[in-house]
Amino acid sequence: MRIVLEKVGYEYQQGSPFSAVALKDIDLTIREGEFVALIGHTGSGKSTLAQHLNGLIRPTQGTVYYEDEEGRADIHGKGYSKKSLRRQVGLVFQYPEYQLFEETVQKDVAFGPKNLGLDKDEIDARVKEAITRVGLDYDAVAEKSPFELSGGQMRRVAIAGVVAMRPGVLVLDEPTAGLDPGSREELLQMIKGLHDSGTTIVMISHNMDDVARYAGRIVVMQKGTVVMDGTPREIFSRGEELERMGLDVPQSCRLSLMLRKDGFPDFPLCYRPEEVTEALEKLLGGEGRAC
Amino acid sequence: MLADITLGQFYPADSFVHKMDPRVKIVLLIVFIVGIFLAKNLIAFIPAVLFVILAARMSRLPVRLLIRSLKPLRFILIFTFILNIFFLQGNLPEGQEPTPVLDWWIIHLTAEGILQALLYSLRLIVLVLGSSLLTLSTSPIALTDGLEMLMTPLKVIRFPAHEIAMMMSIALRFIPTLLEEADKIMKAQTARGADFESGNILKRAKAMIPLLVPLFVSAFRRAGDLAMAMEARCYHGGEGRTRLRVLKCTWRDLWGAAAAVLMVAGCVLISEFVHII
Amino acid sequence: MLKNLIEIENVSFSYEEEGEPAVKNVSLSIPKGAFYAVLGQNGSGKSTLAKLMNGLYKPSSGTVKVYGMDTADDDKTWEIRQRAGMVFQNPDNQLVATVVKDDVAFGLENIGVPTEDMPARIEQALRDVGMQEFADRSPHHLSGGQKQRVAIAGALAMQSDIIIFDEATAMLDPRGRQEVFSVVQQLNRNRGLTVVWITHYMEEAALADRVFVMHRGEVVLEGTPSEVFSHADILKKCKLRQPPVTEIAENLREKGFDISSGVLTAEDMVREVKRLCASSWKK
């Protein structure tokens, strides 16, 4: 399933004196199996865009389609059921642990599948699977209150609540915000696992090192529009532009850019630490040829 | 819906009303409310309406904003108006019969009833406008400061004036934050297939649990954090506290008070001497 | 003249009487004008340690002294908290008032500063953090970084000489983080503000004078950033990572390149590469 946005625009409180344009003229296709990173400043429209992907927000202009071999459907069109919308695209909000509410982890994760109207056996199976998928021990946590868990674990439970709905596309709004490096790494590995098993991932992130490591495609947003769209290599090769927009680049990318500017114009543009190490090895090991 | 609540939404401006002492404004609002309840007929309402118009003009608040403060009231207004039309006959002197306007099936409308219903609705409108004028023209800080000062004499009977004012000001500070949070949680649960909009009352009430539990949990967490932060900033109750803002009464307040007294007097006198219903 | 503004000696702290201590036998001192960082993963005890530094928590054993005053002494509580200000993690949950300048005034009101002295102190404090234009705004309409700067102004107005930042940048976006960090750096350099910076961001700790790494309630590493970050194994055990550039430098060193230890930033690395190239040129 692909998500196709055509000329999508969104204006807050349209028609009132407080209106503000959040998105304009977005043409974007999320293809099946992709790992897309959505980057940009706070207020660039990333989160608003994310909420368009599963129909939580209705665009004030343009159309959002879900498209497969059989054709495309306008998700806000008549006859398109909300249930099937939520089933296809899952959305994990920022700090999702703040939405937990049930007495036990099991019940909380079951909330989504229940709303889909599944039968009990199916729900139980999915809950078990989802909790395991996010890297928690089902038997250890299932009957615990979600509020007894650590922050990192709570976040996993919240993500499991969306994973249990088995969406083909999973949209995550800054899933690692506020986590320490260890938990961040584990969570990203978990997301990568979901991607490897076939889930399309759209991830909003501020951390460029994470983006460089995991994403296959990067969409850069600024002031409500998409300003860049391409592979990490393509995007980070425009590192200076990103920096001018006030966005970070991965540390490795920053280092390569600095070396290029500072006497090594032929230094390759790397965006992962392994690549930099390799390139430096060549540069320094090659009897100082480059110098 | 959430955006409609103008209460506590201070609209800054440089005006006569904005500059008045909040204590005086609060007292005047009370006087004003007493006044409109003493007004017994539509003519007697003229001073009250004039007073509101005058205050609104002098506050330099956009009329749109004031009208918006009535919006959440629209259903109650329509409801009470309709109800009153059917059930009120007006206060008639002994022996006088009401003037029928419409007499059809079980519906009996009288001119007096309609006037009375108008009076009740008008009372409600003027009441809300007056209160909105206070909250729109007075910053929440000034408002709570004013209330605290007004309640201070009650400290003699161990009334926790400072604590209540502090609670109010914190509540005001966190209302927008919590509204935003409620909106976010609602969206997050909707994304998990929750349905807040359909079903009967019982079902809808049950559907609120996934919104309310996280909201309460969050409010408690924020309260804990805030208490810690306040302690770290040396907060230890009202004892020995000084204030950044000191309230002063000026000539403006005198004029305001005079206008309010005139208004109440007008309402009472007209009610006494003019009988239209 | 007092050298160490905060002296922590053999301090342990448990939330419950019988429970596992959150802070175990920690000793450290913070000299005047220092910028010290405390690193650790969530649950390592670093926030608890922060709250022990201004008497929000009292040690279960050992002593904490701020300006020579024991935090266990209840009579000194308010003086200690005035001297040692604190900025917390969640920008939304520490501002009390609905107007920025009233929030900065909050601490002043609490310690009984005369009304006529307040405006000047508030204005100066807001100016020091670059927020003077926002004095009459509502905190609700500020960005996270701006809110944190207002919180800093609140402590500055109280004339705190030390500010303890308890993961003050953890909830901010990169721009906000940068904004807050550079304000704090400037205050440290230009005003001599003593800073205790609690964080899990390596990049920030790398810029401190000295770093303490906490793990399970104990200080497991202590030293200059380059000393601390050279212990890749211990950091890994604490679920922390070296800054990426340090990792690159170490990998190269392992492969036999003569890169000096203590490479923390991209700037350091460029310098090293140039040095190596120049020396190989000479050969």
Side-chain angles (χ1 to χ4, degrees):
Chain A
M1 201 266 301
R2 288 179 292 277
I3 306 176
V4 181
L5 278 73
E6 267 183 17
K7 296 258 166 271
V8 164
Y10 184 72
E11 202 178 332
Y12 279 103
Q13 306 197 14
Q14 205 182 20
S16 87
F18 304 101
S19 73
V21 174
L23 293 178
K24 53 181 180 244
D25 268 340
I26 306 268
D27 285 312
L28 186 71
T29 301
I30 308 289
R31 288 176 287 269
E32 194 164 334
E34 280 190 311
F35 194 130
V36 183
L38 209 53
I39 66 175
H41 273 305
T42 308
S44 61
K46 312 180 295 274
S47 297
T48 313
L49 180 64
Q51 292 173 32
H52 276 81
L53 298 179
N54 74 339
L56 266 186
I57 297 183
R58 194 193 182 108
T60 48
Q61 260 120 47
T63 321
V64 181
Y65 298 102
Y66 288 176
E67 190 179 79
D68 53 23
E69 282 55 50
E70 282 155 34
R72 53 163 53 175
D74 174 355
I75 63 166
H76 293 287
K78 269 198 191 127
Y80 203 93
S81 93
K82 288 251 161 57
K83 233 175 228 174
S84 104
L85 210 82
R86 317 273 183 246
R87 204 193 300 256
Q88 297 193 66
V89 180
L91 178 55
V92 177
F93 274 77
Q94 220 180 344
Y95 297 101
E97 58 274 27
Y98 295 162
Q99 75 197 28
L100 300 174
F101 68 98
E102 273 287 11
E103 291 158 66
T104 67
V105 170
Q106 204 279 340
K107 282 188 189 166
D108 207 295
V109 176
F111 181 67
K114 239 187 220 160
N115 287 328
L116 292 181
L118 303 169
D119 63 59
K120 198 183 168 298
D121 291 343
E122 175 72 15
I123 293 175
D124 288 346
R126 282 188 177 204
V127 168
K128 199 161 184 173
E129 191 207 304
I131 291 178
T132 317
R133 283 229 93 142
V134 297
L136 294 172
D137 179 357
Y138 179 83
D139 296 316
V141 298
E143 291 309 315
K144 273 196 181 169
S145 156
F147 301 103
E148 282 172 34
L149 305 175
S150 76
Q153 287 174 320
M154 278 169 82
R155 185 163 304 180
R156 282 152 185 266
V157 171
I159 296 176
V162 178
V163 169
M165 297 170 81
R166 290 206 192 138
V169 183
L170 187 63
V171 184
L172 303 113
D173 191 348
E174 286 189 62
T176 61
L179 293 182
D180 58 38
S183 326
R184 199 173 75 213
E185 198 57 46
E186 286 167 18
L187 193 71
L188 287 165
Q189 282 298 332
M190 185 270 281
I191 295 169
K192 184 173 179 291
L194 287 168
H195 179 243
D196 290 344
S197 62
T199 311
T200 307
I201 304 283
V202 178
M203 178 173 88
I204 295 180
S205 178
H206 281 304
N207 188 315
M208 297 302 154
D209 287 291
D210 293 350
V211 167
R213 288 238 305 284
Y214 294 98
R217 175 179 168 201
I218 299 177
V219 174
V220 186
M221 293 199 60
Q222 195 185 25
K223 293 179 185 152
T225 58
V226 172
V227 287
M228 291 185 205
D229 184 350
T231 63
R233 191 166 297 284
E234 284 161 8
I235 300 295
F236 291 130
S237 70
R238 296 160 77 180
E240 279 152 349
E241 272 175 75
L242 289 174
E243 283 185 338
R244 240 177 285 136
M245 283 161 62
L247 289 171
D248 281 345
V249 293
Q251 287 281 320
S252 313
C253 179
R254 186 156 169 260
L255 179 58
S256 342
L257 286 172
M258 281 172 73
L259 284 167
R260 278 156 80 127
K261 229 188 276 175
D262 212 353
F264 306 94
D266 299 327
F267 194 82
L269 192 98
C270 314
Y271 58 93
R272 292 178 182 174
E274 311 87 76
E275 294 176 339
V276 184
T277 314
E278 213 173 287
L280 279 174
E281 222 176 306
K282 237 186 241 163
L283 174 80
L284 298 169
E287 336 226 315
R289 253 178 300 137
C291 314
Chain B
M1 178 197 88
L2 299 179
D4 280 348
I5 301 171
T6 42
L7 201 81
Q9 295 291 326
F10 170 54
Y11 186 89
D14 184 30
S15 82
F16 184 95
V17 179
H18 280 77
K19 281 187 192 145
M20 280 173 68
D21 187 319
R23 289 170 297 185
V24 175
K25 282 195 264 186
I26 295 167
V27 173
L28 290 191
L29 178 67
I30 297 168
V31 171
F32 171 74
I33 292 172
V34 171
I36 56 178
F37 277 96
L38 290 175
K40 293 276 185 266
N41 58 48
L42 281 172
I43 308 274
F45 247 89
I46 293 173
V49 173
L50 282 178
F51 182 78
V52 168
I53 292 174
L54 183 75
R57 284 299 296 269
M58 298 196 75
S59 69
R60 297 201 186 149
L61 291 166
V63 180
R64 185 171 37 81
L65 215 60
L66 281 167
I67 291 178
R68 213 177 54 174
S69 68
L70 290 173
K71 222 172 117 192
L73 221 71
R74 58 192 186 278
F75 294 114
I76 302 176
L77 270 175
I78 295 169
F79 185 69
T80 50
F81 184 73
I82 292 176
L83 216 72
N84 286 339
I85 270 190
F86 290 121
F87 293 105
L88 294 176
Q89 313 277 295
N91 303 324
L92 289 171
E94 204 68 31
Q96 203 170 316
E97 279 297 303
T99 328
V101 179
L102 182 70
D103 212 343
W104 175 73
W105 193 37
I106 50 160
I107 300 170
H108 315 283
L109 291 186
T110 62
E112 290 78 5
I114 294 174
L115 284 177
Q116 193 76 2
L118 267 177
L119 180 73
Y120 281 9
S121 305
L122 195 63
R123 194 172 272 163
L124 207 59
I125 291 173
V126 176
L127 183 92
V128 171
L129 282 179
S131 322
S132 294
L133 266 173
L134 173 71
T135 52
L136 284 165
S137 74
T138 317
S139 73
I141 289 191
L143 207 57
T144 43
D145 278 356
L147 276 173
E148 183 178 351
M149 300 289 193
L150 286 173
M151 293 185 297
T152 306
L154 297 175
K155 271 186 184 161
V156 191
I157 53 159
R158 299 217 168 170
F159 184 79
H162 167 75
E163 285 74 9
I164 286 180
M166 181 57 80
M167 269 164 57
M168 281 177 45
S169 79
I170 289 173
L172 285 169
R173 154 78 184 82
F174 279 92
I175 283 171
T177 312
L178 288 173
L179 283 180
E180 226 173 70
E181 182 138 36
D183 186 54
K184 208 182 113 184
I185 296 170
M186 207 150 159
K187 276 187 178 159
Q189 307 297 30
T190 309
R192 292 168 79 190
D195 185 354
F196 296 102
E197 277 147 18
S198 56
N200 55 25
I201 289 186
L202 197 71
K203 207 173 154 203
R204 275 205 218 187
K206 231 181 123 188
M208 294 305 272
I209 293 174
L211 168 64
L212 292 178
V213 173
L215 201 58
F216 272 101
V217 171
S218 150
F220 279 116
R221 196 191 58 239
R222 286 182 194 282
D225 282 3
L226 188 70
M228 183 79 84
M230 286 170 71
E231 261 195 62
R233 294 172 73 183
C234 299
Y235 180 71
H236 49 281
E239 211 65 37
R241 249 184 139 235
T242 47
R243 308 304 294 259
L244 170 65
R245 293 169 195 264
V246 179
L247 302 177
K248 271 200 296 269
C249 283
T250 60
W251 53 271
R252 287 189 195 86
D253 303 298
L254 217 63
W255 279 109
V261 169
L262 271 176
M263 174 221 125
V264 175
C267 290
V268 174
L269 287 175
I270 297 173
S271 302
E272 273 306 304
F273 296 111
V274 183
H275 299 279
I276 54 157
I277 42 173
Chain C
M1 190 66 216
L2 210 70
K3 192 176 155 275
N4 291 325
L5 299 193
I6 299 183
E7 300 245 28
I8 298 177
E9 249 175 85
N10 303 321
V11 162
S12 297
F13 176 81
S14 336
Y15 285 92
E16 292 144 37
E17 293 253 329
E18 303 293 319
E20 176 78 359
V23 166
K24 269 184 261 180
N25 208 21
V26 169
S27 297
L28 59 91
S29 44
I30 295 162
K32 201 171 162 56
F35 192 126
Y36 278 15
V38 180
L39 258 177
Q41 62 162 328
N42 293 343
S44 61
K46 58 187 194 303
S47 279
T48 311
L49 184 66
K51 284 162 192 141
L52 283 160
M53 289 187 191
N54 67 349
L56 281 174
Y57 296 158
K58 310 266 158 97
S60 312
S61 67
T63 55
V64 178
K65 283 186 175 165
V66 178
Y67 269 91
M69 296 176 282
D70 195 330
T71 58
D73 181 353
D74 286 336
D75 295 336
K76 301 283 186 205
T77 301
W78 308 117
E79 201 179 338
I80 288 172
R81 291 191 189 154
Q82 184 245 308
R83 297 270 187 148
M86 197 155 178
V87 175
F88 295 85
Q89 182 179 21
N90 193 328
D92 274 320
N93 299 356
Q94 54 185 320
L95 302 185
V96 187
T98 41
V99 175
V100 166
K101 73 174 174 212
D102 290 80
D103 191 85
V104 177
F106 181 72
L108 301 179
E109 295 177 328
N110 291 336
I111 58 173
V113 171
T115 300
E116 58 274 20
D117 296 350
M118 284 190 204
R121 280 169 80 163
I122 294 167
E123 204 194 308
Q124 184 59 46
L126 283 172
R127 198 184 300 275
D128 287 343
V129 297
M131 289 293 291
Q132 65 273 30
E133 295 152 49
F134 297 86
D136 292 308
R137 299 275 200 91
S138 152
H140 182 65
H141 296 120
L142 303 181
S143 73
Q146 290 172 330
K147 285 180 204 163
Q148 292 300 62
R149 276 149 68 196
V150 172
I152 297 172
L156 292 177
M158 290 230 278
Q159 293 170 342
S160 301
D161 306 299
I162 315 161
I163 302 184
I164 301 146
F165 294 86
D166 186 5
E167 294 197 61
T169 54
M171 294 182 76
L172 305 181
D173 64 7
R175 192 183 265 183
R177 238 163 73 197
Q178 184 52 43
E179 176 184 308
V180 171
F181 192 79
S182 61
V183 161
V184 175
Q185 259 186 328
Q186 274 165 29
L187 289 168
N188 172 253
R189 284 183 194 148
N190 307 339
R191 294 291 166 86
L193 179 77
T194 307
V195 174
V196 180
W197 188 266
I198 308 229
T199 185
H200 56 234
Y201 288 115
M202 302 295 142
E203 310 88 288
E204 293 174 354
L207 299 169
D209 301 338
R210 205 169 174 78
V211 180
F212 297 84
V213 178
M214 287 197 72
H215 186 57
R216 298 200 174 136
E218 288 172 287
V219 174
V220 291
L221 266 180
E222 174 189 346
T224 62
S226 45
E227 281 163 18
V228 164
F229 290 137
S230 65
H231 295 280
D233 44 333
I234 304 180
L235 289 175
K236 201 167 177 189
K237 204 186 79 197
C238 305
K239 290 210 174 178
L240 295 170
R241 282 185 65 170
Q242 295 170 303
V245 181
T246 311
E247 213 176 304
I248 294 169
E250 297 234 323
N251 282 338
L252 287 170
R253 194 163 44 240
E254 256 166 46
K255 291 192 169 136
F257 293 96
D258 175 33
I259 290 192
S260 47
S261 63
V263 172
L264 298 173
T265 62
E267 286 78 2
D268 294 343
M269 192 69 194
V270 172
R271 205 178 321 120
E272 278 300 297
V273 171
K274 279 182 159 171
R275 186 181 60 82
L276 283 178
C277 281
S279 66
S280 72
W281 189 251
K282 268 181 221 152
K283 272 181 219 158

